[in-house]
Amino acid sequence: MLKSQISRPAVSNIKEGELSLSRQVLVELVQAVFAKGALFRFRAKGFSMHPFIRDGDLVTLSPLSDISLRVGDVVAFIRPGKGNLIIHRVVRKIGDSFLIKGDNVPNDNEVIPKANILGYVTKVERNGKERRLGRGLERFLIVFLNRGKLLDKSLYHFTRFLHHVKKVSRAK
Amino acid sequence: MEVKADLDSIYAPSEDIVSREIEEELLIVPLVAGIGDMEDELFTLNETGKVIWGHLDGEKPLKEVVAKLSEEFEAPAGEIAADIMGFVEELLKRGMLVEITNI
């Protein structure tokens, strides 16, 4: 490489949205961060977990380590055969695998081996505030209705009502 | 606190970062307070920076890195040394690079 072709070396601070990361790079980054025992925070894209995780929400993932996954947990996994990173909810345990489904995707159940699951969601942030809806006790109701394909807007309002009741009783 | 690069020192990537190549650039995600944050803490090195980074492997002093890059870039060491040292200082300030030893 000739000096005439060289630009000055530079390090730039950028926003994730300015990048176009391939599926493989994103998965590799998550794995590399987890390998160092750290959490991974990034912007969710898509609508498959709406309204509990919305497009553009900031999601923090924790590595699975020795944690036992439970029904209702929201997990990040590598979709078999496609390699992309997906965040969906555990609906049922089947042996060493898990039936996983997006809250907003009525007919998209996937059986995912535990080895494909990288981590689980421990924090969701929207407009600078943490959002807990869908990760408390109401997650069991979400799973129940997901299994029966009954999850729709009415459930969203009902779980919001439950969340409000919880908040009010905590404040007392 | 001012950080100065030393040609006799050996530098290596910090343990508290994760890096991946993306096309001609290098993406660096520092691990801050135990979190790899793609939202607020994301950096890239341009193509030249990536080449220099590749030589900061914790095995040779910075003056040898300058000599190797002088060959690679076909430019006199005296001309490129200041840019390289400035770049190393920037990486040290941001905690992406650490000094291994001063020989």
Side-chain angles (χ1 to χ4, degrees):
Chain A
M1 190 189 291
L2 296 175
K3 185 171 190 290
S4 58
Q5 298 169 337
I6 309 163
S7 54
R8 287 187 76 184
V11 52
S12 310
N13 187 201
I14 61 168
K15 285 287 182 190
E16 188 190 348
E18 296 168 26
L19 279 181
S20 177
L21 292 183
S22 71
R23 298 169 179 179
Q24 184 184 350
V25 169
L26 182 59
V27 167
E28 284 177 6
L29 282 171
V30 174
Q31 290 173 318
V33 168
F34 282 173
K36 301 226 175 197
L39 311 182
F40 188 81
R41 180 173 180 256
F42 71 118
R43 269 198 197 276
K45 288 179 184 161
F47 302 90
S48 62
M49 283 296 291
H50 189 92
F52 305 107
I53 299 177
R54 297 184 187 176
D55 182 65
D57 281 353
L58 280 167
V59 174
T60 299
L61 301 177
S62 293
L64 270 190
S65 303
D66 296 324
I67 303 291
S68 293
L69 281 179
R70 302 168 301 175
V71 167
D73 284 343
V74 180
V75 298
F77 65 93
I78 303 172
R79 182 166 269 163
K82 297 226 171 125
N84 47 331
L85 188 73
I86 305 289
I87 295 179
H88 281 174
R89 191 182 301 274
V90 175
V91 172
R92 184 174 284 153
K93 193 171 186 302
I94 307 172
D96 284 340
S97 298
F98 296 86
L99 189 68
I100 295 181
K101 188 183 168 304
D103 290 342
N104 195 30
V105 188
N107 298 310
D108 188 26
N109 290 338
E110 296 178 270
V111 178
I112 305 295
K114 189 176 179 189
N116 279 52
I117 300 175
L118 298 183
Y120 64 106
V121 173
T122 47
K123 193 173 184 181
V124 177
E125 297 165 78
R126 187 178 307 144
N127 300 324
K129 291 184 183 172
E130 185 173 354
R131 301 292 167 174
R132 296 178 184 273
L133 189 65
R135 292 189 298 120
L137 289 175
E138 69 275 9
R139 70 183 186 277
F140 298 114
L141 179 61
I142 294 167
V143 167
F144 171 73
L145 291 169
N146 251 332
R147 286 183 188 176
K149 298 183 183 177
L150 298 172
L151 194 64
D152 61 12
K153 278 184 187 171
S154 57
L155 169 69
Y156 172 64
H157 291 298
F158 180 64
T159 50
R160 278 205 72 172
F161 169 72
L162 282 181
H163 182 72
H164 175 73
V165 166
K166 226 172 29 173
K167 214 164 126 181
V168 165
S169 54
R170 253 194 240 133
K172 280 190 183 162
Chain B
M1 191 178 76
E2 204 180 331
V3 174
K4 280 286 181 194
D6 186 329
L7 286 169
D8 291 320
S9 292
I10 298 176
Y11 298 99
S14 164
E15 285 293 315
D16 294 327
I17 62 136
V18 161
S19 65
R20 280 300 176 274
E21 280 196 34
I22 304 178
E23 294 170 356
E24 286 106 24
E25 294 183 324
L26 188 77
L27 178 68
I28 294 181
V29 185
L31 305 181
V32 179
I35 301 179
D37 192 341
M38 297 282 286
E39 174 64 10
D40 293 331
E41 297 284 338
L42 196 59
F43 297 87
T44 57
L45 305 186
N46 65 358
E47 194 176 352
T48 307
K50 193 178 93 171
V51 172
I52 298 171
W53 176 269
H55 286 283
L56 299 168
D57 53 11
E59 293 183 3
K60 49 189 176 292
L62 189 57
K63 60 188 172 198
E64 278 186 37
V65 173
V66 171
K68 283 203 181 290
L69 289 168
S70 169
E71 278 180 42
E72 217 169 301
F73 293 153
E74 296 183 13
E79 276 189 34
I80 62 173
D83 280 351
I84 292 170
M85 290 180 71
F87 179 66
V88 167
E89 284 166 3
E90 184 69 29
L91 295 174
L92 287 168
K93 249 189 282 186
R94 293 181 184 277
M96 296 175 195
L97 206 63
V98 293
E99 184 179 336
I100 301 295
T101 185
N102 190 332
I103 59 167

